[in-house]
Amino acid sequence: MTALAPARPPAPQGRAPGPLLLGVRHHGPGSARGVLAALEAARPEAVLIEGPAEADALVALAADPAMRPPVALLAHAVDDPGRAAFWPFAAFSPEWAAIRWALGRGVPVRFADLPAALTLAAGPARDDGEEHAPGADTAAARIDPLAELARAAGHEDPEQWWEDVVELRGDTDPLAPFEALAEAMTVLRERYGHGGHPRDLVREAHMRLRLRDARKEFGDAVAVVCGAWHVPALARRTTVTADRALLKGLPRTKTELTWVPWTHRRLARRSGYGAGIESPGWYGHLFSAPDRPVERWMTEVAGLLRESDHPVSSADVIEAVRLADALAALRGRPRPGLAETTDAVRAVLCGGSDVPLDLVRDRLVVGDVLGEVPAAAPAVPLQRDLDRLQRRLRLRPGAEERALDLDLRGETDAARSRLLHRLRLLGVDWGTPTGGRAGTGTFREPWRLRWEPELHVRVVEAGVWGTTVESAATARAEARALGAGSLGEITDLAERCLLAGLTGALPTVLGALADRAALDTDAAHLADALPALARALRYGDVRGTDTAALAAVAAGLAERICVGLPPACAGLGADAAAQMRDRVDAVHAAITLLPDPDLHPTPDPSTPDPSTPVADSPLVARWAGVLRRLVRGERVPGTIRGRAARTLLDEGWLSEEETGRAMGLALSPGTPPADAAAWIDGFAGGPGGGLLLVHDERLLALLDGWLTGVPAEAFTDVLPLLRRTFGGYEAGVRRTLGELVARGPDAAAPGSAALIPGFAADPDEERADGVLPLLHLVLGPEAAA
């Protein structure tokens, strides 16, 4: 049986006959309570809401128990999903309160604003790219009605004025505030003319037409909830012909609408959404706790601070409430507002510090509340598949930023990783990898997750590529491979495909990669591309992906680098040389990462000739030869020659005697000081450079001798480069180097470490073995393999 609606009481005395026009400020708890009181007093037979007209088919979902605000209506163009608009609603939004009131009493509720088909076809309404929404009355485009009214009342702060006259006070007559506000808006519109966005004329014409249709069906027993600025326009008498003329010929586009979750943080002005409010968490509290709101607020603040290990006692809470009441009385306010409660929290609960107060502002005043939408809401197939995966992998979206550390050895975490990487390929950046991979691959993969409402639009946009996350990501990767403009883009794409487990896209991506690599003759481009391929090969091993085809492409790329890199390093300027030095480092690291075990050289101490490669792999032997050519290159900049010598020494491909000879030549009196300083920066700069000088006093003595011999007029020029080199060392390394230099060259025999603090003459193997159990605990069982 259908419940009978309660009888509608007669119109209050003194109110003119006609529809009930309730002008509100969007997202205001006082306005929301006022709307509920007015609707309960007037008992209309139909309610019209400011919002896109097509949403009538979705309004019934607002009564679903699974629908929890904040939520938003999302409209997007079918042929261009990126063109979209949001209409957000919070629990304290007057429009949402009116919708829930009407649905709870069986009263028809309809949306009266301009259809989204017209709004999206006309283009963005504001500079920030957001379309009109209930929280974004475009009347503020030219004047701010609240500011004008506050100024007329003698208040400098319109937010505080509105809070005093609406949000913090109650009225015995539920209709009186709306009548006063309508009168004020009428005066403002008479004084300033239209004063709003030009599209308001069209919107108001459509709302009048919808209101006429409702009055034909229900008479004057109709209530309209809209922005207060529009009330005079809806009360104005116009003809149907004139209103239809304003709408005639407007462009249209096919649209789809649905409900999507929204967040309190997205409602805040500081998030960049111009339709928002500064304190959605505070407003939500005022709406949900009309009785003793200050006491309840202080209790919530105390609980948050205690969770953060900030001591707060019950006596502190009582004192903070008293101080807020006293401040409100001193400032002539009807009740303590956000300013008074914030001042009291800072003074009493935070001990005068803004550090814990910032936490209160972020977590409570704004907040990370994320709404929920029932499964019955319309959604594109891609969104349905994403919802299914999120449930299966127990990876629920949240408005607050959180860390997620994945262990790729577990199937669930590996599947989570694939999902996040696939979404990133689709432009849905729900997660961001953090921590850096250092080029070696790892079973651990750290992420930072945060779901933003705009990601729903990205999902809709990505829906054109497929109906599931995997198929859409595969199609998107193949399209990007065919349209990639550079070799680096394709290598990066190949790495991302392996991370995402998109084996179906790899043939297309690798084919495009091979074609592009064959045509690109720039050694710098090839050097930039190889590291990504090497990382992809290592990640393929971790994830159990077949990477044989990628390994062949990487090997061919490495061969071409060995041929083209030495000529590319000749005659470079300082900045270009520094970039090329970094490329040499990256290529060397990449070659050591290639998965073929034959590519890893093993130093042979019995090799008589240090210039002979000590590796069995032809590719590594060629790379060692390339580094030797760079060391001896006369036209190669010093920073590259120094780094090549350092790399050869680190790998055991160059003896200490040969390294000393190369350093002696680089620091000889005939070498210009700037070139010698560049060689030092390349050789001793970067990780481990300082320890190398600490352990090899012969190299340190060569450096010390050269530095003391630099002419005074040249020393000023080389000092910045030397400071950059040595400034990068750890404090302990710099201190030890200083002690060694202070002792002088005769303090110990070359190569001896007997007199260096903290070092013994010979390694103590027994003490070294003592750290193995700890390393086993830190690094895990795989470290022992």
Side-chain angles (χ1 to χ4, degrees):
M1 296 180 61
T2 303
L4 296 176
R8 180 172 181 267
Q13 293 184 356
R15 190 176 75 82
L20 180 63
L21 302 181
L22 302 177
V24 300
R25 184 191 185 192
H26 306 299
H27 308 314
S31 293
R33 284 197 300 270
V35 164
L36 290 176
L39 293 176
E40 196 62 35
R43 301 284 181 85
E45 296 180 12
V47 176
L48 300 185
I49 304 294
E50 182 182 334
E54 302 99 327
D56 287 352
L58 301 175
V59 70
L61 288 172
D64 193 309
M67 179 80 84
R68 298 180 182 178
V71 293
L73 284 168
L74 165 62
H76 67 89
V78 174
D79 56 351
D80 182 13
R83 181 176 288 276
F86 294 98
W87 286 261
F89 301 90
F92 49 84
S93 298
E95 297 89 350
W96 184 259
I99 291 172
R100 294 298 296 263
W101 181 91
L103 293 177
R105 290 160 179 77
V107 174
V109 56
R110 299 169 184 172
F111 288 96
D113 206 348
L114 201 64
L118 299 179
T119 302
L120 296 181
R126 297 203 309 275
D127 294 339
D128 60 7
E130 299 279 0
E131 295 291 350
H132 176 79
D137 201 324
T138 50
R142 293 184 184 173
I143 68 167
D144 183 350
L146 293 187
E148 295 297 325
L149 293 176
R151 188 178 300 111
H155 286 257
E156 296 181 356
D157 186 350
E159 294 290 334
Q160 181 175 317
W161 173 81
W162 178 264
E163 201 172 53
D164 287 349
V165 300
V166 176
E167 307 301 344
L168 298 180
R169 60 176 293 175
D171 293 276
T172 55
D173 183 356
L175 302 181
F178 298 104
E179 294 172 352
L181 194 56
E183 181 179 354
M185 291 299 170
T186 301
V187 173
L188 284 177
R189 291 187 72 133
E190 289 175 353
R191 177 176 180 181
Y192 292 102
H194 173 256
H197 193 280
R199 196 181 299 173
D200 283 351
L201 295 175
V202 178
R203 294 176 55 220
E204 290 164 352
H206 187 273
M207 285 191 276
R208 285 193 294 266
L209 292 174
R210 294 280 284 182
L211 179 56
R212 287 190 184 96
D213 293 340
R215 295 181 70 180
K216 288 180 182 179
E217 186 175 355
F218 301 102
D220 286 344
V222 177
V224 181
V225 181
C226 64
W229 181 258
H230 303 301
V231 169
L234 298 185
R236 184 165 58 93
R237 292 184 177 274
T238 61
T239 64
V240 174
T241 302
D243 286 341
R244 288 178 176 171
L246 289 173
L247 298 170
K248 186 177 180 181
L250 294 179
R252 284 180 173 268
T253 185
K254 187 176 181 181
T255 58
E256 292 180 350
L257 275 76
T258 187
W259 289 103
V260 297
W262 204 251
T263 67
H264 272 183
R265 192 170 299 279
R266 197 67 182 89
L267 286 169
R269 276 201 185 104
R270 66 180 183 181
S271 69
Y273 181 55
I277 53 176
E278 294 179 350
S279 50
W282 165 251
Y283 273 8
H285 171 78
L286 289 181
F287 184 71
S288 62
D291 62 314
R292 307 180 73 86
V294 178
E295 291 85 345
R296 296 177 185 271
W297 179 258
M298 293 301 181
T299 303
E300 289 186 31
V301 172
L304 174 64
L305 294 176
R306 287 167 182 161
E307 290 176 2
S308 304
D309 296 328
H310 188 83
V312 176
S313 67
S314 299
D316 291 333
V317 175
I318 296 173
E319 185 63 27
V321 172
R322 290 174 176 172
L323 178 57
D325 288 336
L327 289 173
L330 288 172
R331 296 170 181 175
R333 307 194 67 180
R335 266 189 238 170
L338 180 60
E340 287 70 37
T341 56
T342 299
D343 289 344
V345 167
R346 178 193 290 110
V348 180
L349 304 185
C350 297
S353 172
D354 282 341
V355 175
L357 184 63
D358 287 341
L359 177 66
V360 174
R361 286 170 174 157
D362 183 71
R363 298 281 294 277
L364 292 181
V365 176
V366 177
D368 288 312
V369 178
L370 175 65
E372 295 183 12
V373 171
V380 296
L382 182 63
Q383 181 68 60
R384 296 289 186 195
D385 185 59
L386 176 57
D387 293 340
R388 178 185 62 82
L389 291 172
Q390 288 172 336
R391 290 193 298 270
R392 182 170 68 83
L393 298 176
R394 301 186 299 278
L395 201 60
R396 292 177 58 85
E400 70 283 358
E401 185 176 280
R402 65 187 181 98
L404 180 67
D405 189 16
L406 300 179
D407 185 344
L408 301 180
R409 294 169 295 183
E411 180 54 37
T412 299
D413 276 3
R416 289 172 173 174
S417 173
R418 289 192 294 270
L419 173 62
L420 294 172
H421 281 294
R422 289 170 181 176
L423 291 175
R424 282 174 58 81
L425 270 170
L426 292 171
V428 184
D429 294 330
W430 176 20
T432 303
T434 61
R437 295 186 289 267
T440 60
T442 176
F443 289 110
R444 299 287 178 181
E445 189 177 65
W447 291 81
R448 300 295 295 180
L449 299 185
R450 185 172 198 161
W451 185 268
E452 296 286 356
E454 291 83 355
L455 296 180
H456 289 286
V457 178
R458 303 290 178 264
V459 173
V460 174
E461 288 182 287
V464 301
W465 297 104
T467 57
T468 66
V469 174
E470 181 177 4
S471 64
T474 298
R476 179 68 177 126
E478 291 175 341
R480 288 185 59 183
L482 297 177
S486 67
L487 181 61
E489 291 181 28
I490 304 181
T491 54
D492 176 70
L493 182 61
E495 180 183 12
R496 297 179 68 180
C497 285
L498 283 174
L499 292 172
L502 297 178
T503 55
L506 279 178
T508 302
V509 174
L510 293 181
L513 175 60
D515 294 341
R516 179 71 66 176
L519 296 176
D520 201 324
T521 59
D522 191 323
H525 292 169
L526 300 177
D528 290 337
L530 184 62
L533 296 183
R535 289 194 304 268
L537 289 169
R538 174 57 60 91
Y539 297 140
D541 291 341
V542 172
R543 297 162 190 267
T545 307
D546 184 8
T547 57
L550 187 60
V553 175
L557 206 63
E559 292 283 356
R560 296 183 59 201
I561 291 173
C562 290
V563 174
L565 191 61
C569 291
L572 298 177
D575 293 338
Q579 295 176 0
M580 190 61 75
R581 177 200 61 197
D582 295 339
R583 290 190 178 101
V584 170
D585 288 342
V587 169
H588 177 72
I591 289 179
T592 61
L593 276 179
L594 294 178
D596 186 347
D598 292 336
L599 298 184
H600 296 281
T602 302
D604 184 1
S606 63
T607 302
D609 183 6
S611 64
T612 303
V614 295
D616 296 330
S617 166
L619 178 57
V620 174
R622 292 194 64 181
W623 175 243
V626 169
L627 293 176
R628 292 188 183 89
R629 288 180 59 188
L630 294 177
V631 171
R632 298 191 298 265
E634 295 182 358
R635 298 184 62 239
V636 176
T639 184
I640 298 177
R641 288 187 285 114
R643 184 54 54 89
R646 162 80 178 281
T647 303
L648 288 169
L649 177 64
D650 288 344
E651 294 292 345
W653 301 342
L654 200 64
S655 67
E656 294 183 1
E657 291 76 13
E658 285 291 320
T659 303
R661 187 179 303 116
M663 189 174 191
L665 291 174
L667 304 183
S668 64
T671 304
D675 292 346
W679 195 96
I680 294 172
D681 183 53
F683 182 84
L691 287 176
L692 181 65
L693 296 177
V694 167
H695 286 283
D696 196 327
E697 290 193 54
R698 183 171 181 271
L699 298 180
L700 180 61
L702 288 171
L703 177 60
D704 185 39
W706 169 80
L707 188 59
T708 56
V710 174
E713 61 274 11
F715 185 79
T716 304
D717 296 331
V718 303
L719 181 59
L721 187 59
L722 294 175
R723 290 190 63 179
R724 185 180 69 183
T725 301
F726 292 99
Y729 297 162
E730 295 180 357
V733 172
R734 293 199 302 269
R735 183 174 60 252
T736 302
L737 287 175
E739 292 173 353
L740 289 173
V741 172
R743 288 190 177 94
D746 299 327
S752 173
L755 299 181
I756 302 176
F759 294 94
D762 297 306
D764 188 336
E765 295 184 1
E766 183 177 353
R767 293 183 64 190
D769 291 341
V771 303
L772 293 180
L774 178 60
L775 289 177
H776 180 79
L777 291 174
V778 173
L779 300 179
E782 65 272 11

